[in-house]
């Protein structure tokens, strides 16, 4: 089970927006983004089950930017299973879930794409990293992915961002990358760029 908020939208043909917060965040953090992205969509906002000195996360890390791979794989499966449970409980279409994640939340969203062919319909990744190296990705043909990256992000370097883009593209995902110059911050302008992208997918 994962702590979460579900808000039923007015339009069930829209994707369910899966919100995934950054380190130290909660399921409340990203709720206001949905007004900008799609006010008519269902919203499922989840709190990470891992605690790092009291800070919620979606998987453990050994150090800044160094992930506990075994826990990453386990927590990715846990989130994927939670999505199936929530789809049944709240009667939304499991095959139409679009993730919106920031930082650690973007990393677990990317990990869903890296490990499960059909977990997400698409994803908006704000300041993501490559969740895991050395594995073959599933076929992600046509899946739309929006990456908001920073030219000067001290946590996710520009090289890491383009590395993620090319790994997803090699798996045939359709990736758009948007650059900002505000470090690791989640900015309103990148959310607006994501909203514009969303209207065209
Ligand atoms: C992570 O641990 O997922 C990344 O370093 C980003 C973050 O600090 O949340």
């Amino acid at each position: 089970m994962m702590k979460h908020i579900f808000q039923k939208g007015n339009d069930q043909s829209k994707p369910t927006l899966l919100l995934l917060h950054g380190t130290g965040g909660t399921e409340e953090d990203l709720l206001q983004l949905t007004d900008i992205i799609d006010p008519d969509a269902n919203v499922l906002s989840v709190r990470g089950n891992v605690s790092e000195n009291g800070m919620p996360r979606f998987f453990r890390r050994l150090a800044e930017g160094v992930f506990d791979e075994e826990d990453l794989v386990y927590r990715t499966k846990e989130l994927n299973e939670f999505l199936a449970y929530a789809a049944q409980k709240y009667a939304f279409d499991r095959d139409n879930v679009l993730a919106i994640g920031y930082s650690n939340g973007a990393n677990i969203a990317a990990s869903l794409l890296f490990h499960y062919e059909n977990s997400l319909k698409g994803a908006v990744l704000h300041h993501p990293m490559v969740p895991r190296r050395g594995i073959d990705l599933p076929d992600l043909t046509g899946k739309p992915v929006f990456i908001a990256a920073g030219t000067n992000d001290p946590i996710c370097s520009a090289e890491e961002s383009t590395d993620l883009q090319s790994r997803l593209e090699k798996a045939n995902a359709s990736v758009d990358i948007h650059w900002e110059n505000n470090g690791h911050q989640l900015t309103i302008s990148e959310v607006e760029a994501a909203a514009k992208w969303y209207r065209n997918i």
Side-chain angles (χ1 to χ4, degrees):
M1 182 46 72
M2 301 186 79
K3 197 164 193 305
H4 63 279
I5 294 169
F6 181 75
Q7 294 173 352
K8 191 138 200 114
N10 302 320
D11 185 345
Q12 294 305 305
S13 71
K14 298 296 189 71
T16 293
L17 305 179
L18 169 66
L19 305 182
L20 303 163
H21 62 78
T23 299
T26 73
E27 66 281 15
E28 311 266 349
D29 285 9
L30 302 180
L31 288 175
Q32 60 206 35
L33 300 190
T34 61
D35 290 339
I36 303 170
I37 304 288
D38 190 344
D40 294 319
N42 294 327
V43 176
L44 178 66
S45 189
V46 182
R47 184 186 298 200
N49 259 344
V50 165
S51 168
E52 183 183 276
N53 305 317
M55 296 188 298
R57 285 179 54 86
F58 288 95
F59 56 89
R60 285 196 201 107
R61 61 181 164 184
L62 306 172
E64 171 80 54
V66 185
F67 300 153
D68 177 336
E69 231 176 68
E70 197 183 318
D71 192 58
L72 173 71
V73 170
Y74 173 77
R75 298 292 172 188
T76 304
K77 180 165 181 277
E78 176 184 55
L79 178 57
N80 193 47
E81 287 170 359
F82 175 72
L83 291 175
Y85 160 84
Q88 228 177 15
K89 176 167 166 129
Y90 299 114
F92 65 79
D93 180 359
R94 172 67 192 91
D95 296 328
N96 197 10
V97 175
L98 183 111
I100 303 176
Y102 168 56
S103 192
N104 182 244
N107 294 342
I108 193 95
S111 185
L112 283 173
L113 292 169
F114 270 45
H115 293 101
Y116 297 100
E117 187 170 344
N118 297 313
S119 187
L120 297 177
K121 189 75 182 271
V124 174
L125 308 175
H126 293 281
H127 303 271
M129 296 171 66
V130 175
R132 196 180 169 197
R133 292 189 159 80
I135 58 163
D136 288 329
L137 270 59
D139 179 16
L140 301 174
T141 297
K143 279 200 201 294
V145 179
F146 178 89
I147 297 175
T151 51
N152 61 347
D153 184 331
I155 295 172
C156 320
S157 68
E159 295 72 38
E160 176 104 14
S161 309
T162 50
D163 186 7
L164 177 62
Q165 176 183 20
S166 64
R167 283 165 195 267
L168 291 168
E169 282 175 345
K170 267 199 203 113
N172 301 314
S174 168
V175 184
D176 280 84
I177 192 157
H178 167 86
W179 292 100
E180 295 257 322
N181 191 29
N182 296 294
H184 195 57
Q185 279 180 69
L186 173 52
T187 66
I188 186 72
S189 59
E190 70 189 44
V191 174
E192 278 162 359
K196 198 166 161 203
W197 167 88
Y198 174 88
R199 286 194 285 274
N200 289 310
I201 57 170

